[in-house]
């Protein structure tokens, strides 16, 4: 990215970021020194020095034996700083509460980031206790309601998709561009996206792009177990979410004087 803008990347900084992202992606699964060195193509001695520096700073934690590594608490402070510092996330949260109260289902806010969407806020259903997402979780944009709502805001020739076949999260996930493009055409005509067990088996989702950017970068969705999704309930979900989207787009505070983050 830096080299594309005519600025040379700093190798040590890029390596540090790659390491932190790898540890974060592994979540509860601890990593060993040799695994991390091999995964990132870094000499073992250099990886050890980098890990120890990050452990001392709190960005990485290690177990009592010093042989296992995971993401540290400092990463949480940075993540919450992003959420707290974003005016749009703060502005949307009350509307997520409104949708959750009206529907009794799980409501999400997410933002597109390359080929994925990242969850920014969630209001869980009181009736469905299984956690299907969390703040910071990444999901391929082609695989669910949130991502498809945002992809549909872009031309098919400009979709931020990875090369090759698209990853399948369930047997219903679109894995070809032809199938995805056909779905996105329906999303544009309908005005919202539908995910029928494409991300998680047993769950359906309805996604609505928030058009305060062009193309939209944020979307909201409602997730509901398919066992509880009657035609009448689906109609109500769409009506409530459309109303909530309209309120968000109408009442979002002016960004005048705020940085135009890219």
């Amino acid at each position: 990215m830096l080299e594309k803008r005519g600025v040379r990347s700093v190798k040590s900084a890029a390596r540090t970021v790659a390491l932190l992202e790898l540890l974060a992606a592994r979540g509860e699964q601890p990593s060993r020194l040799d695994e991390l060195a091999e995964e990132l193509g870094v000499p073992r001695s250099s990886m050890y020095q980098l890990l120890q520096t990050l452990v001392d700073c709190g960005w990485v934690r290690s177990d009592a034996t010093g042989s296992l590594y995971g993401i540290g608490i400092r990463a949480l402070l940075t993540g919450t700083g992003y959420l707290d510092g974003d005016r749009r996330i703060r502005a949307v949260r009350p509307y997520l509460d409104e949708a959750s109260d009206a529907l009794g289902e799980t409501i999400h806010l997410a933002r597109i980031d390359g080929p994925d969407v990242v969850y920014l806020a969630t209001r869980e259903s009181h009736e469905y206790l299984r956690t299907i997402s969390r703040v910071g979780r990444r999901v391929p944009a082609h695989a669910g309601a949130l991502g498809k709502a945002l992809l549909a805001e872009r031309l098919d020739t400009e979709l931020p998709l990875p090369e090759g076949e698209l990853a399948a999260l369930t047997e219903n996930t679109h894995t070809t561009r032809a199938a995805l493009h056909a779905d996105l055409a329906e999303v544009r005509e309908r005005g919202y996206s539908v995910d029928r067990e494409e991300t998680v088996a047993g769950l359906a989702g309805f996604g609505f792009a928030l058009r305060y950017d062009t193309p939209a970068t944020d979307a909201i969705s409602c997730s509901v177990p398919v066992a509880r999704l009657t035609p009448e309930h689906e109609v109500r979900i769409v009506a409530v979410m459309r109303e909530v989207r309209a309120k968000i787009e109408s009442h979002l505070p002016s960004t005048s004087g705020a940085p135009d983050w890219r």
Side-chain angles (χ1 to χ4, degrees):
M1 182 69 73
L2 286 174
E3 293 177 353
K4 290 181 181 179
R5 297 203 302 262
V7 180
R8 292 183 59 187
S9 63
V10 179
K11 187 175 181 180
S12 59
R15 181 177 292 175
T16 300
V17 171
L19 172 59
L20 293 172
E21 289 184 342
L22 177 58
L23 291 173
R26 293 193 172 187
E28 295 181 358
Q29 179 184 349
S31 303
R32 295 186 179 275
L33 171 62
D34 291 341
E35 296 172 345
L36 296 171
E38 181 178 357
E39 180 78 16
L40 298 178
V42 176
R44 190 177 187 278
S45 59
S46 298
M47 178 57 69
Y48 178 76
Q49 293 174 359
L50 177 56
L51 283 167
Q52 294 311 305
T53 298
L54 293 174
V55 168
D56 291 342
C57 295
W59 283 87
V60 171
R61 58 180 173 175
S62 63
D63 70 337
T65 68
S67 60
L68 297 176
Y69 299 92
I71 196 70
I73 196 169
R74 290 284 176 177
L76 172 63
L77 301 179
T78 300
T80 55
Y82 176 87
L83 297 175
D84 293 341
D86 192 293
R87 299 172 68 188
R88 288 174 171 171
I89 297 174
R90 296 199 307 270
V92 170
R93 283 172 178 156
Y95 297 102
L96 302 183
D97 295 332
E98 179 180 332
S100 178
D101 292 341
L103 295 170
E105 305 294 355
T106 300
I107 310 298
H108 304 294
L109 167 68
R111 180 166 294 165
I112 196 165
D113 181 35
D116 303 323
V117 292
V118 180
Y119 286 88
L120 302 177
T122 292
R123 300 294 183 266
E124 293 286 353
S125 167
H126 296 300
E127 296 186 39
Y128 189 68
L129 299 180
R130 177 184 174 191
T131 300
I132 63 166
S133 66
R134 62 182 184 276
V135 172
R137 181 193 179 202
R138 304 179 72 89
V139 174
H142 69 273
L146 288 159
K148 291 193 298 181
L150 292 168
L151 292 180
E153 297 292 305
R154 292 154 174 79
L155 298 175
D156 286 346
T157 56
E158 299 177 353
L159 301 181
L161 299 175
E163 297 293 331
E165 186 174 277
L166 302 175
L169 300 187
T170 73
E171 61 181 16
N172 296 320
T173 307
H174 296 310
T175 57
T176 67
R177 280 163 175 72
L180 178 62
H181 290 170
D183 193 342
L184 296 181
E186 293 181 7
V187 174
R188 296 178 186 115
E189 181 177 353
R190 190 192 301 120
Y192 62 92
S193 64
V194 180
D195 164 8
R196 300 193 188 278
E197 301 186 83
E198 296 172 34
T199 308
V200 178
L203 286 183
F206 303 86
F208 299 77
L210 300 176
R211 294 163 179 156
Y212 40 62
D213 281 322
T214 304
T217 58
D218 297 348
I220 56 174
S221 74
C222 175
S223 296
V224 56
V226 294
R228 204 167 65 234
L229 184 61
T230 63
E232 295 77 16
H233 193 31
E234 180 169 334
V235 169
R236 174 159 171 72
I237 287 172
V238 172
V240 168
M241 294 299 289
R242 274 179 164 157
E243 181 180 353
V244 168
R245 171 170 65 180
K247 289 181 178 179
I248 293 172
E249 293 175 345
S250 298
H251 298 115
L252 195 75
S254 170
T255 57
S256 176
D260 182 17
W261 298 113
R262 298 297 182 197

